[in-house]
Amino acid sequence: MKLATLKDGTRDGRLIVVKRDSSAYALATSVALTLQNALDDWQRAEPQLRAVAEQLEAGTVQSRPLDVNQLLAPLPRAYEWVDGSAFLNHVILVRKARNAEPPPTLKTDPLVYQGGSGEFLAPTADIPLADEAWGLDFESEVCAILGDTPQGTKAAEAGQHIRLVMLCNDVSLRNLIPDELAKGFGFFQSKPATAFSPFAVTPDELGAAWKEGRLHLRVRSTLNGQLVGDTDAGEMHFSFPELIQHISKTRGFTAGTILGSGTVSNEDRSRGISCLAERRMIETIDEGKPKTPFMKPGDTIQIEALDASGHSLFGRISQKVVKR
């Protein structure tokens, strides 16, 4: 099942069910007005939404052509946005970029931070940039939307709390990060609004591509029309259930919490990058200094994941940097 949120002039939009080929949609407001409403009452809403999806595929419900430009993020705002860093190659490279060593618990204790969730960018929304010196970077990631998740949830049980899967562009301002982290209190100004893919899909919709709590697909990043990354998302060191076990150690999470994988990253350099910080670090290792600039107004980034038939399962994040 594939869900999305249609712009309607309100902050939270209207919930729609999207056809598998992404060509059309049906309103789901008879089941739940918004995706958050559906998540809050998932036991009731989920089978009814599946019924709408079946009718949409069969052509027995009123449908309309889909225009991705009319969509908000699947959750235009959320109770919590928790981002991990489950791809260890990324952790190692970006730590090197700021002359920091990886933590000694790198392979046993996931890194996470809590980002702003009051306003997310639509999949085709511009990325505003007030100052090029801040070092704007894209980060291509996989995300899970959780249902109510109790404190103390173990990895073996955590999969049942994953309601939907989607992609994101976790925008970063790289040149602001070192000074913020030096204060010992974490990210804040260096993490502006995140953008999400047009569609959020149930794990069963992914078939064999969803196993062991990981998305086994390539995540493609296209910068200014050039494919710069075709990275394997299945190489997550920590699975989503393992991340859930980590974050729920001391508190529970409400339905609508979004959990990110961190930047998709592979040791195999031939697969490219999912953020510019990695390319710059590789240049530093190979050539002594970085030469690739961060993003500037006019630059574009597209992020998507294709299935075996070339279909864009989550739709495409397609954004342009604009001067604010």
Side-chain angles (χ1 to χ4, degrees):
M1 180 169 59
K2 183 181 294 188
L3 303 177
T5 293
L6 188 69
K7 294 177 182 177
D8 70 347
T10 68
R11 287 186 175 185
D12 299 311
R14 283 184 291 170
L15 179 61
I16 60 174
V17 178
V18 179
K19 199 170 181 180
R20 281 198 177 93
D21 65 5
S22 306
S23 64
Y25 72 90
L27 287 173
T29 47
S30 62
V31 179
L33 183 61
T34 68
L35 180 53
Q36 183 62 54
N37 293 156
L39 292 164
D40 286 338
D41 193 13
W42 193 249
Q43 295 302 113
R44 176 197 63 83
E46 189 262 352
Q48 294 185 34
L49 290 171
R50 286 191 182 275
V52 174
E54 291 171 3
Q55 294 166 1
L56 181 60
E57 295 299 327
T60 57
V61 68
Q62 182 179 6
S63 65
R64 302 173 187 177
L66 180 71
D67 178 0
V68 174
N69 292 302
Q70 295 304 309
L71 299 181
L72 297 170
L75 277 174
R77 53 180 173 167
Y79 287 108
E80 300 198 56
W81 160 226
V82 182
D83 197 14
S85 195
F87 293 87
L88 301 191
N89 186 62
H90 176 74
V91 179
I92 292 167
L93 286 175
V94 296
R95 288 288 178 114
K96 283 185 179 179
R98 58 177 188 263
N99 297 314
E101 290 296 321
T105 56
L106 178 69
K107 295 184 179 180
T108 59
D109 196 27
L111 294 171
V112 297
Y113 82 92
Q114 189 153 9
S117 60
E119 181 181 16
F120 293 134
L121 296 178
T124 57
D126 292 337
I127 304 171
L129 178 61
D131 189 341
E132 288 185 45
W134 291 347
L136 177 66
D137 199 357
F138 70 93
E139 293 192 62
S140 306
E141 303 189 14
V142 182
C143 302
I145 299 178
L146 307 184
D148 288 313
T149 304
Q151 179 184 342
T153 296
K154 300 302 182 185
E157 308 160 351
Q160 66 183 307
H161 301 299
I162 297 174
R163 300 289 184 247
L164 297 159
V165 181
M166 57 184 178
L167 303 180
C168 86
N169 177 15
D170 179 39
V171 181
S172 291
L173 300 172
R174 295 291 186 189
N175 293 337
L176 300 184
I177 290 176
D179 286 345
E180 283 207 294
L181 294 186
K183 297 177 183 179
F185 220 51
F187 301 119
F188 196 85
Q189 291 179 333
S190 51
K191 289 291 185 177
T194 301
F196 291 89
S197 56
F199 316 129
V201 306
T202 49
D204 63 284
E205 191 74 18
L206 301 169
W210 182 258
K211 58 183 177 181
E212 299 177 341
R214 297 171 176 86
L215 178 68
H216 291 264
L217 289 176
R218 296 290 184 93
V219 174
R220 297 167 59 88
S221 303
T222 302
L223 179 66
N224 295 328
Q226 177 185 2
L227 182 67
V228 294
D230 192 18
T231 50
D232 184 357
E235 288 189 9
M236 281 177 73
H237 179 77
F238 298 105
S239 68
F240 277 104
E242 289 170 328
L243 291 176
I244 292 170
Q245 175 175 295
H246 177 77
I247 67 172
S248 67
K249 179 178 179 178
T250 59
R251 60 188 171 108
F253 291 85
T254 192
T257 295
I258 303 175
L259 177 61
S261 68
T263 305
V264 180
S265 181
N266 306 137
E267 287 188 41
D268 182 355
R269 291 188 186 180
S270 69
R271 294 176 182 170
I273 58 164
S274 296
C275 71
L276 291 172
E278 287 196 9
R279 173 177 280 180
R280 287 167 59 87
M281 191 60 242
I282 291 168
E283 289 168 350
T284 300
I285 293 169
D286 292 347
E287 304 172 39
K289 62 180 181 180
K291 63 181 182 181
T292 297
F294 287 118
M295 298 180 75
K296 61 185 184 301
D299 286 348
T300 60
I301 180 65
Q302 296 178 327
I303 301 166
E304 62 187 332
L306 307 182
D307 63 14
S309 63
H311 177 60
S312 186
L313 286 174
F314 308 97
R316 178 185 296 166
I317 298 171
S318 183
Q319 298 182 275
K320 182 179 181 179
V321 180
V322 297
K323 179 69 176 178
R324 182 167 185 171

